[in-house]
Amino acid sequence: MRTLPVWRSLLYVPATRESFVAKAHTRGADAIILDLEDAVAPAEKPAARAALAAAIPQVTRNGAAACVRINRPLRMATLDIDAAIAAGADALVLTKLMGPDHVRLLSELIAESEAAHGVPVGRTICIGLVESADALSSLEAIARADPRLVALGAGGEDLATDLGAEPSPDALYLPKMMALLAARAAGILPLGFIGTVAGLSDPEGYRAMLRRSRKLGFACASCVHPSQVAVINEEYGDSAEAIDRARRMVEAFEASLARGIGAATFEGAMIDEPVVERARRMLARARTN
């Protein structure tokens, strides 16, 4: 069983934007994704890779994980991986995955870079993104492809474009849920939400979308603006009241088991093993935090 990070929010920051990088550690995100892909113009890719060495120590100052989103073309991906590993990245975001063999190939390149830079082989974890229609049928195989993979999500804008659809909740619901089911079945984190990265113009709608997505089973989400971090943390995190309720639920159930009864009444409702297991998982997350 692979060890999973306890992430709620992952904030994208362009690796070349020094002012954004300098403030990233103050935003409250559980992970900072230094972007080498969409947020960086082709001519700036070399500069973005070179910037990682200074950026990673900055973004991790308050304990956030340092992630790097790499490019899809293999020649660029190889350069991105090596630069990220050399700079001390904790995780890599693997974009536009084609299938399980693609994951394994990138994992091999990561291992080679780890060995070359004196990093323990296997230290670097990965987040997988599926962003094309032809890869959707391979989601389950991708989720199980390699022990490095700790989270999986279906893309928004790129995937919608490939589907010939608008990036609306209706269009993205099925692929997003397919990714969630594949991730849960493989024992890794489902990344994302039912919607798009929009939300600045409709903060209440954004919060409602996150709340719905959390209830559907998503574990963590990425965002592109610092103002979205706190909302994700609130909606994908567990409040003190919820944690206390979970603790009392587990205690009530265990007291019932001690009397030889496999169910219990708690706050006017009947609870059994599946309900209590969700409470135990909440308590485990709280202890990790």
Side-chain angles (χ1 to χ4, degrees):
M1 187 71 175
R2 67 194 84 180
T3 300
L4 302 180
V6 181
W7 288 338
R8 299 159 300 172
S9 55
L10 299 90
L11 174 65
Y12 278 101
V13 176
T16 51
R17 297 292 296 273
E18 293 183 7
S19 60
F20 289 11
V21 169
K23 295 179 180 178
H25 71 286
T26 69
R27 305 305 192 182
D30 298 320
I32 303 297
I33 302 176
L34 293 163
D35 197 8
L36 303 182
E37 197 208 19
D38 288 347
V40 178
E44 294 183 354
K45 302 287 187 185
R49 294 186 198 105
L52 293 177
I56 287 177
Q58 290 189 72
V59 302
T60 56
R61 277 186 282 177
N62 281 346
C67 310
V68 176
R69 180 163 72 162
I70 68 171
N71 290 277
R72 155 72 182 274
L74 190 58
R75 186 171 296 180
M76 293 178 68
T78 302
L79 296 173
D80 293 346
I81 288 169
D82 199 61
I85 300 298
D90 299 303
L92 300 179
V93 181
L94 312 180
T95 59
K96 299 177 175 63
L97 290 173
M98 296 181 286
D101 287 341
H102 189 187
V103 177
R104 287 188 280 267
L105 174 61
L106 293 174
S107 181
E108 182 177 330
L109 292 172
I110 294 167
E112 290 176 357
S113 286
E114 287 173 332
H117 294 289
V119 175
V121 174
R123 175 191 178 276
T124 313
I125 58 177
C126 296
I127 301 164
L129 295 180
V130 169
E131 303 175 78
S132 63
D134 63 355
L136 292 176
S137 61
S138 299
L139 274 166
E140 185 172 349
I142 288 170
R144 300 178 185 273
D146 192 272
R148 293 183 187 275
L149 204 65
V150 298
L152 178 68
E157 300 291 335
D158 287 324
L159 180 57
T161 300
D162 202 41
L163 293 170
E166 293 295 320
S168 66
D170 284 344
L172 294 172
Y173 179 82
L174 181 57
K176 295 271 189 177
M177 288 303 298
M178 289 172 65
L180 184 153
L181 294 171
R184 289 296 186 190
I188 63 176
L189 300 175
L191 169 74
F193 43 74
I194 303 298
T196 69
V197 296
L200 297 178
S201 61
D202 182 13
E204 289 309 308
Y206 182 70
R207 182 180 292 276
M209 177 269 295
L210 289 172
R211 187 167 299 169
R212 176 187 179 221
S213 300
R214 173 68 188 274
K215 289 179 179 178
L216 287 170
F218 289 95
C220 53
S222 60
C223 58
V224 297
H225 195 277
S227 67
Q228 297 171 321
V229 170
V231 185
I232 294 174
N233 286 347
E234 290 172 15
E235 297 302 331
Y236 278 30
D238 301 310
S239 67
E241 293 79 7
I243 292 168
D244 180 65
R245 183 177 184 275
R247 178 187 54 77
R248 291 186 287 106
M249 179 187 292
V250 172
E251 289 174 353
F253 183 71
E254 290 178 348
S256 181
L257 287 180
R259 298 193 301 271
I261 304 172
T265 300
F266 179 74
E267 296 184 351
M270 188 67 69
I271 59 173
D272 57 8
E273 184 61 38
V275 177
V276 176
E277 178 58 26
R278 290 196 291 272
R280 292 192 188 106
R281 292 178 183 181
M282 181 184 295
L283 294 175
R285 288 195 299 269
R287 285 192 295 270
T288 304
N289 283 331

